[in-house]
Amino acid sequence: QKHLLGIEHLRPDEITAILDLADQYVDLNRRDVKHADALSGLTQINMFFENSTRTQASFELAGKRLGADVMNMAMQASSIKKGETLIDTAMTLNAMHPDLLVVRHPHSGAVDLLSQKVNCAVLNAGDGRHEHPTQALLDALTIRRAKGRLHRLNIAICGDVAHSRVARSNLILLGKMENRIRLVGPPTLVPSQFAELGAEIYEDMNEGLKDVDVVMMLRLQKERMDGGFIPSEREYYHRYGLDAEKLANAKPDAIVMHPGPMNRGVEIDGEIADDINRSVIQEQVEMGVAVRMAAMDLLARNLRSDRAAKQASEV
Ligand code: CP
C-alpha cells in the first residue's frame, strides 16, 4: 500500500501484519526502548483541520520515536484562514518534499482527494464521518491482546453510530476478521442501512449487550449533527449510557472500550470507565502510539522501495 486511507482498502493479512508489528512496538515502548530509526531521514507533516488530543499526540510521538523530522502544522494559523484551498495547501507542502502526511479533515473524502495530489505517503487521521483507520487498528490490537484473538467475538458498538467514522472503520475491520457485530442505539443514531454492512441492529441496550465479549461506547458527535435531532443528555444516559446494570448483560469478562474523547455521565458512567478490571480505555491510548509507529514504518518501507525502483529505472 502507498497510503493508509481507510480500512476498506486493507486485506485481512495486511491488517494482521500491521498488528503484529505494532505488538513489537508495544514491547519496545514498555521496555523504554523508545528510539528506532525506521523513519530516519524522513519528514512527517501532521495537518489537523479538526481538534484532536489522542491522534495528533500519538502520531507526533510515533514519528519522533522512529526518528522522523516531525512538523505539526498549526492549521488555525495557516493561510487556509486567508482562503487557500486544501489542495493548494497540500501542493504547497508537497513542494517542500515531505515523506509522510498525516491528515485529519472534517469532510469525508478530503484525505483521499489530497492523496491524489502529493508525492508522499498519506495517512488518514479521520475524515468526516467516513473513516478513522488507525483508530480501528488500535482498537483491534487492544481487543486481540485482551481476548487472545480477533475473530469469532461478539462485539457491540453502542451509541452515535450514524456520525461516527470510528464505528464505520471498526465495523469494516471487525467484519473482515469474521466477528459478529451488533450496533446498539436509537434509530436516529443507528440507521437501518448499517445492516447492509453485516451488522445486527438493536434498539434496546440490555438486549444488545446480552453475552457480548466487547462493549465499545461512542460519544454523541454533536459537531456532525448538522442541526438535526440531538437527544437530551439525561434521557440518553438513562436509555443508552453504559452503567453497571446494563453492563451486567454482557459476558462476565467482557471488556469496555471507548475511543475518546469521553463524556462521562452521557454515554458512559465514570466508574465503569475507570474500572481497571473491565475498562481498556487507557490501553487503547497506549496501543495508539504502537499502531501508528507500525503503520508509518510499513508505509515508509514501501515508499523507500518505490523510490529505489524509480531511481534504478532512471539510470
Ligand atoms: N479517538 C480520537 O480520535 O481522539 P482525538 O479526537 O482526541 O484524536
Side-chain angles (χ1 to χ4, degrees), residues 67-259:
D69 294 313
V70 183
M71 183 177 88
N72 288 311
M73 281 289 295
M75 300 318 301
Q76 294 303 322
S78 75
S79 290
I80 290 265
K81 291 278 162 205
K82 299 177 195 162
E84 191 164 51
T85 65
L86 169 69
I87 297 305
D88 283 338
T89 305
M91 288 175 68
T92 301
L93 292 173
N94 190 53
M96 300 179 197
H97 299 291
D99 304 290
L100 298 148
L101 270 185
V102 178
V103 187
R104 170 171 286 191
H105 198 277
H107 294 144
S108 303
V111 183
D112 199 327
L113 183 68
L114 184 150
S115 74
Q116 296 164 29
K117 308 284 178 187
V118 297
N119 304 320
C120 60
V122 176
L123 294 101
N124 182 357
D127 63 323
R129 56 177 86 175
H130 176 229
E131 280 240 32
H132 193 348
T134 54
Q135 179 69 46
L137 288 162
L138 76 87
D139 290 338
L141 184 61
T142 308
I143 294 170
R144 195 174 80 166
R145 290 173 70 99
K147 292 280 147 204
R149 66 182 200 275
L150 189 58
H151 59 275
R152 283 188 284 110
L153 293 166
N154 290 316
I155 300 172
I157 303 177
C158 310
D160 183 5
V161 172
H163 303 99
S164 174
R165 54 197 175 208
V166 174
R168 199 165 173 282
S169 288
N170 264 303
L171 194 49
I172 299 169
L173 190 156
L174 295 168
K176 283 187 186 203
M177 305 311 274
E178 298 183 4
N179 296 284
R180 284 185 65 178
I181 319 294
R182 300 176 187 180
L183 300 177
V184 187
T188 43
L189 299 179
V190 184
S192 57
Q193 61 263 34
F194 275 88
E196 289 162 21
L197 289 171
E200 294 169 38
I201 295 183
Y202 289 81
E203 193 173 337
D204 183 272
M205 188 85 169
N206 290 313
E207 281 175 30
L209 295 191
K210 203 138 223 76
D211 296 326
V212 296
D213 300 286
V214 177
V215 182
M216 192 181 288
M217 300 308 301
L218 299 170
R219 180 176 63 88
L220 289 174
Q221 290 137 103
K222 294 179 185 167
E223 71 275 22
R224 286 198 275 278
M225 289 187 183
D226 306 327
F229 172 73
I230 299 180
S232 114
E233 290 186 354
R234 226 175 116 104
E235 173 68 7
Y236 185 80
Y237 180 70
H238 176 67
R239 291 195 62 191
Y240 294 105
L242 185 67
D243 56 17
E245 207 179 314
K246 297 188 192 88
L247 182 58
N249 291 288
K251 285 188 183 161
D253 63 349
I255 56 169
V256 173
M257 306 180 73
H258 194 306

